[in-house]
Amino acid sequence: MNAPAPAPAPARRPNVVVILADDMGYGDLSSYGNELIETRHIDGIGRDGVRFTAGYSSAPLCSPSRAGLVTGRYQQRFGFEQQVSSGAFPERREVREDDGRLAPLQGEAEFLRRGIPTTERNIGELFSAQGYRTGVFGKWHLGHAPQFLPQNRGFDESAVFYGNTSLQSTRLDDPDLVSIKVDAHDEAKDTAWTREGLNAVRRNGQPVEVDQYLMFYFRDQAVRFIEESADRPFLLYFPMNSPVPPLQVPREYFERLRGTISNIAQRGYNAMLLAQDEVVGAVLDALRRTGVENDTLVVFVSDNGNAVSRPGSNAPFSGGKFTTYEGGIRMPFMMRWPVRIPAGLVYGEPVSTLDILPTAAAACGVPLTGAQPLDGVNLLPYLETDAPGSPHEALYWKLAGYAAMRLGKWKLYLEPRAGIARLFDLEADPAERHDLSTVHPEVFADLMRRYREWDGSLPPRGWTNISPVFKK
């Protein structure tokens, strides 16, 4: 009698890799219009999968954008509208209580409660609960009190800095490094361009000394994580510390563009993009070498647009970081999964970084029980078929003095404190130059009503950032 055939091995659950650029403008990649360089590795994600032409972040600023991405919810729903911090811990003044204990710093309690509340489930927590190995390497910027740290919020491994921006290298006199001043931050006495305080690198919560160019250190951590996780499903969140300043570039990349780009700052910025492209290439190569490329959903996106004071490009859009013009919120956005997403797809309906979590969860069979109701949607049905309609009826933004809403081709732009309210037709006027609020008053009134209803459903802002830009 023949022995029964062995049961087929259960199908391996897919992996997820989310790569997040920092302050990368819409026009910074060659696949989105940069004619100065070729970003072939990053572009390959869209070439082998889908490239979104109307991909949005949920905020034109680092911290709140990241909070929306990792929760799949408008971050305003849990009070996370502004930055959690810059780069420095609050300075402690020598003030004593009556019993001799050092008194808390004024405002320190508020500073330490800034982050994603524990009532919200982030992507690390949801995937970890389903047996996924989870790792995050790069810029965290989601709070630094214990309840907000990655090792306490679902990530098995982390190598991150908690603050806004960390130096790529502390060896400022290194002849193999080019450092270029690009905006007022580089001159500020209280600059956040340090490797101290919140910008110190911590591995699994413990400070570590990094002699390497920092982006390359995070690259090596991500590659090692993939190699060590090849035998089980994993989630890799890779929030890169580039191309945001400080503009410190390995001279090798800077010299590649000599004779091609004459402006020094522009050359340095594009050299950093080349370095970043090769870092992404190393991560993609690790997926190939370990044999998990076809089993991995890869997402590439930026957290917000480039600041207009810097040499990057938000073309063809107006505005940039901090504002809700398209240049601040419309991002390079690509997704690849060979077994499910057709190669070479270009998708033009509006999508959001809010969609990353529900799409990844659907791809991997991760239940969303315990998560609050999501604002993002699973994009896979829209990419695998000719599904009619748009994933979102409307998208909303709110950041201190700026707000916006998109409904189909219509864009409502608001600066409430300045009394500015404008209506744009993004199909005819993607650069938002022509206010149509008096030409189409009925459309303007409808969008204003919808925005006010959404805004009225939100709780109060959890904190007010001390930056002059957002202090009002």
Side-chain angles (χ1 to χ4, degrees):
M1 182 176 179
N2 294 330
R12 175 190 169 111
R13 290 180 293 173
N15 312 303
V16 177
V17 175
V18 178
I19 306 172
L20 180 66
D22 193 348
D23 288 13
M24 177 180 282
Y26 186 89
D28 278 341
L29 299 178
S30 51
S31 58
Y32 284 84
N34 189 343
E35 298 180 350
L36 299 174
I37 59 171
E38 182 186 8
T39 49
R40 63 186 185 91
H41 298 293
I42 299 174
D43 292 347
I45 298 171
R47 185 175 57 251
D48 297 337
V50 57
R51 181 169 65 89
F52 300 103
T53 58
Y56 290 94
S57 65
S58 65
L61 191 63
C62 307
S63 277
S65 170
R66 291 155 196 265
L69 188 157
V70 301
T71 62
R73 284 165 49 80
Y74 285 115
Q75 58 277 359
Q76 297 91 347
R77 296 202 188 281
F78 43 93
F80 200 135
E81 185 180 322
Q82 297 187 353
Q83 298 284 66
V84 292
S85 64
S86 56
F89 287 109
E91 294 182 4
R92 178 171 288 286
R93 294 183 291 273
E94 291 294 322
V95 178
R96 300 283 173 175
E97 302 280 16
D98 292 340
D99 60 4
R101 291 182 297 109
L102 196 63
L105 175 71
Q106 183 179 2
E108 186 176 23
E110 176 187 345
F111 191 77
L112 290 173
R113 68 177 175 81
R114 297 181 180 185
I116 298 175
T118 55
T119 51
E120 302 289 328
R121 302 290 300 281
N122 73 43
I123 192 169
E125 292 167 314
L126 290 166
F127 275 70
S128 180
Q130 296 301 310
Y132 271 70
R133 187 167 188 244
T134 54
V136 54
F137 309 103
K139 172 178 171 177
W140 181 242
H141 213 203
L142 290 170
H144 62 274
Q147 68 271 28
F148 305 132
L149 299 182
Q151 63 269 25
N152 298 328
R153 296 303 293 268
F155 288 94
D156 300 319
E157 284 204 42
S158 63
V160 300
F161 56 91
Y162 300 151
N164 184 37
T165 308
S166 189
L167 286 171
Q168 292 284 2
S169 175
T170 57
R171 298 172 59 198
L172 301 182
D173 59 348
D174 186 345
D176 294 327
L177 184 76
V178 177
S179 296
I180 303 168
K181 295 179 179 180
V182 294
D183 63 17
H185 287 289
D186 296 310
E187 304 291 346
K189 292 181 180 179
D190 60 345
T191 178
W193 306 162
T194 70
R195 192 72 74 73
E196 301 173 351
L198 300 181
N199 291 334
V201 181
R202 291 172 169 81
R203 193 170 190 282
N204 299 327
Q206 299 302 313
V208 292
E209 294 293 330
V210 178
D211 294 330
Q212 206 174 354
Y213 186 71
L214 190 55
M215 182 166 42
F216 295 167
Y217 170 77
F218 292 137
R219 170 202 63 196
D220 292 349
Q221 294 295 315
V223 168
R224 176 193 55 78
F225 178 82
I226 291 171
E227 292 172 343
E228 293 178 357
S229 305
D231 61 344
R232 60 179 288 192
F234 62 85
L235 164 75
L236 168 60
Y237 174 41
F238 188 26
M240 302 182 71
N241 59 322
S242 178
V244 68
L247 194 51
Q248 298 178 291
V249 188
R251 188 171 295 277
E252 169 197 353
Y253 296 91
F254 186 77
E255 293 300 326
R256 287 187 197 178
L257 300 178
R258 183 178 293 277
T260 303
I261 304 175
S262 58
N263 179 278
I264 297 299
Q266 191 69 59
R267 188 194 309 172
Y269 184 85
N270 280 274
M272 181 171 273
L273 291 174
L274 285 179
Q276 182 169 14
D277 185 58
E278 292 193 0
V279 167
V280 172
V283 171
L284 299 178
D285 183 63
L287 297 175
R288 283 189 289 270
R289 286 188 292 100
T290 54
V292 299
E293 180 180 31
N294 288 336
D295 297 322
T296 303
L297 171 67
V298 177
V299 181
F300 181 91
V301 72
S302 179
D303 61 349
N304 48 253
N306 191 280
V308 295
S309 61
R310 300 168 187 166
S313 173
N314 298 315
F317 305 116
S318 298
K321 181 178 180 178
F322 307 121
T323 79
T324 52
Y325 283 115
E326 292 291 283
I329 55 178
R330 199 188 293 206
M331 304 295 101
F333 194 171
M334 290 170 273
M335 192 176 289
R336 184 190 80 183
W337 188 17
V339 299
R340 294 282 297 274
I341 298 175
L345 182 63
V346 179
Y347 191 79
E349 294 293 331
V351 298
S352 170
T353 51
L354 300 173
D355 302 329
I356 292 173
L357 187 155
T359 301
C364 300
V366 171
L368 297 174
T369 52
Q372 301 276 19
L374 302 187
D375 295 298
V377 302
N378 172 20
L379 296 178
L380 291 176
Y382 297 91
L383 306 179
E384 295 174 317
T385 65
D386 296 326
S390 176
H392 297 273
E393 180 186 12
L395 290 171
Y396 300 87
W397 295 269
K398 182 184 180 185
L399 177 69
Y402 301 92
M405 174 192 171
R406 176 164 181 175
L407 181 71
K409 69 176 185 175
W410 298 109
K411 167 83 174 285
L412 177 68
Y413 173 83
L414 301 170
E415 293 182 37
R417 299 190 190 106
I420 295 173
R422 296 170 180 156
L423 179 70
F424 300 108
D425 177 349
L426 292 180
E427 289 183 0
D429 179 28
E432 298 170 288
R433 303 194 184 282
H434 306 290
D435 177 16
L436 302 178
S437 57
T438 58
V439 179
H440 297 281
E442 71 290 347
V443 176
F444 179 71
D446 180 48
L447 266 64
M448 283 293 296
R449 175 187 60 80
R450 290 170 181 260
Y451 175 80
R452 286 169 176 157
E453 288 179 356
W454 177 80
D455 187 38
S457 71
L458 303 175
R461 186 168 59 207
W463 58 86
T464 299
N465 194 277
I466 61 173
S467 167
V469 178
F470 304 109
K471 191 173 183 180
K472 298 178 182 178

